[in-house]
Every structure is written in structure tokens, then in C-alpha cells.
Amino acid sequence: MVIEIDEGSGFCFGVTTAIKKAEEELAQGKTLYCLGDIVHNGMECERLREMGLITINHDDMRQLHNVKVLLRAHGEPPETYELARKNNIEIIDATCPVVLQLQKRIKAQYDSSLINTPSDAPSAQIVIFGKKGHAEVLGLIGQTESKAIVIENFDEVMKLDFTRDIYLYSQTTKSLDEFHRIIDYIQSHIADGATFKSFDTICRSVANRMPNISSFATKHDMILFVCGRKSSNGKVLFNECLRVNPNSHLVEDPCEIQTSWLEGIQTVGICGATSTPRWLMEQCRDAILAKGV
């Protein structure tokens, strides 16, 4: 049996940087808190927990004072930075540069809308194509005092008011194809006199994984997609694997691999999300080899 690990899979730049910053702090024997799971992969979170990383939520952070807290790649709303200032918390900011730039653009647009509107409710609609409740999206709507409109998929575009100005942005890890479908629909329905502008804020290092992983999945009899089940990016990429190769299986842990999947299989492709560590894909490879099928 031939087993190939996809060279294009694994941590993106933002995740790699966040984990490196955490490891550097922990290596000095310092207490370090992380606001939310540093990455949507349970096994990587457990590895860092064993090194000393303490994962907290926002309620936990309100009780902390005079400590260090790492902000993961997804980014945070302004309220988190204000809380850190009040509680004398040192922030280690690992927000991905792509996300940080997007936050700044949305805030600038929101501030501009307020300046040009006599009331405190801007007439323009700032719309974010993203997953409701996702950490990155919460950080983005926080730039608008939670006044931005979030749409998760193409079907939700109908709820927009096409008689008012629309400024459309996207969560950095969303589907480029669906984003363009939304743009086309708004362009064809926006009322005369209303302004529509779209900003392609999808991370190319993530977007390019879609065609790459699609090509990879077609080359093998079976695909083993390795990722945490919380990963939004992982769900999108795994569904693409399934589309081109129905014999695809998602696992979070090597122990989930079933021997029956390997019967009659000559080639296995192992790939993963932007939150999947290389070492975990290698463990899955070794687990397959150990089964001796």
C-alpha cells in the first residue's frame, strides 16, 4: 500500500505563528493563558496543555489580573483589549496579519459610515460573509459595535435591504466561489441610487487549498482527512474531498481509523485543514502501517 501525505496540508501561517509564540513563552517556564482553543484541533491543544498552556474563556478572563494572555490567530473584538487594560493583563497578540488587516478595514468603513450619518445608526449595511459565532467573525463584528450583518451562506443574502448601501466583506476562510455568487446576486438586485462595494478578504493561502486538495483527493483510492471537528475550514475542505472522492473519511485521532476502510485499497492520501499539525497526519500514516493490511 502506498501512503502519501499532502504537502499542502497543515498549519497556515497564522496558526504556526500563534503556536510558536505559545511555545516560546512556555519554554521559559512562565504561566500563560490562551483565550479560546489556540487551534481547532483537540490533540494539538492537549499537547500544549501538557506543556503548561491554560485555555480560558471570556468569563474566566474577567476574573484574571496581572497575568499573560495569548490571543489566537482568529483575532478579538476591541472589548477584549479594553478588559486586558483594566485588569492589567499583558496581551501576547497572535492575531493573524490577514485577519488584523480585515478588522482595520471594517472599522474604518464603520467609522466612515457614522461620520456621514446624522444618527448613531449608519444607513449603510456592513455585511460579513462568515460563520455566526465563529471567533474570527465575533472579532470582525466587534469593530462595528455589533451592528454588522452576518450571512452564513448564499441563501441568506435575500435578507439584506437592497435599497440601502451595502459593503460586503468575508471571513478569511470562507469559500471564494460562494462569495462570488453573493456578489453577483447583490449586484443584480441593488436599487438605483444605492451603493454596493465588495472587498475580497479571503485568505489566498487558504482559498488555494481548495483546488489543491481537490486534485490530491482524485489521485488516491481512499482519502483520510485529519482535522478537529470544530474546524470550519476543515469542514469545507473535507466536503471537497468527498465531492471528488466519495471514499473519504474524516478522523480527529488515529484511533478512529477503521481497518475495513483499508481493505482492497492500494493508495491512501492523507490530508488536513489549516488547523491540522503535520505530526498528527504522520501518526495517522503510522497507524495505517501498523494495521498491516
Side-chain angles (χ1 to χ4, degrees), residues 49-216:
R49 187 194 68 78
E50 291 176 353
M51 291 180 64
L53 185 65
I54 304 169
T55 301
I56 59 171
N57 58 33
H58 289 84
D59 288 337
D60 297 327
M61 185 172 170
R62 292 185 185 95
Q63 309 304 317
L64 295 176
H65 296 79
N66 310 311
V67 296
K68 285 187 178 183
V69 174
L70 183 140
L71 303 185
R72 55 194 178 167
H74 302 88
E76 284 290 323
E79 299 81 57
T80 300
Y81 294 88
E82 178 60 20
L83 174 62
R85 186 190 65 78
K86 287 181 179 178
N87 289 9
N88 195 36
I89 292 172
E90 181 181 342
I91 290 293
I92 299 175
D93 201 338
T95 302
C96 173
V98 177
V99 174
L100 194 60
Q101 182 62 27
L102 174 54
Q103 287 183 348
K104 290 178 180 178
R105 292 178 69 174
I106 289 177
K107 185 179 188 319
Q109 183 62 62
Y110 178 70
D111 290 346
S112 174
S113 298
L114 286 180
I115 291 171
N116 297 322
T117 308
S119 70
D120 62 354
S123 59
Q125 300 164 94
I126 295 178
V127 181
I128 299 169
F129 171 45
K131 182 180 179 182
K132 293 168 188 168
H134 188 280
E136 180 187 330
V137 174
L138 292 176
L140 298 178
I141 64 175
Q143 310 304 317
T144 69
E145 299 178 299
S146 298
K147 292 185 172 70
I149 300 168
V150 179
I151 57 174
E152 288 202 355
N153 52 56
F154 174 78
D155 293 338
E156 292 187 2
V157 74
M158 289 73 170
K159 73 181 183 182
L160 301 179
D161 183 350
F162 297 104
T163 66
R164 295 165 55 202
D165 295 351
I166 296 174
Y167 296 91
L168 176 68
Y169 300 83
S170 176
Q171 178 183 343
T172 58
T173 55
K174 290 294 279 184
S175 163
L176 194 57
D177 290 342
E178 192 168 14
F179 184 61
H180 285 152
R181 283 185 68 204
I182 291 170
I183 291 172
D184 292 342
Y185 187 91
I186 297 175
Q187 285 178 332
S188 63
H189 288 78
I190 195 77
D192 291 340
T195 298
F196 170 54
K197 291 184 179 180
S198 62
F199 305 91
D200 184 350
T201 51
I202 293 173
C203 176
R204 283 305 180 270
S205 72
V206 175
N208 290 340
R209 294 197 182 196
M210 184 71 81
N212 292 344
I213 214 161
S214 178
S215 175
F216 179 80

Side-chain angles (χ1 to χ4, degrees), residues 5-35:
I5 297 178
D6 177 29
E7 291 298 328
S9 289
F11 290 156
C12 63
F13 170 79
V15 172
T16 299
T17 301
I19 289 175
K20 182 179 179 182
K21 287 187 176 183
E23 289 175 334
E24 288 173 349
E25 286 292 322
L26 295 169
Q28 298 176 42
K30 298 178 180 178
T31 299
L32 179 65
Y33 297 88
C34 180
L35 187 54

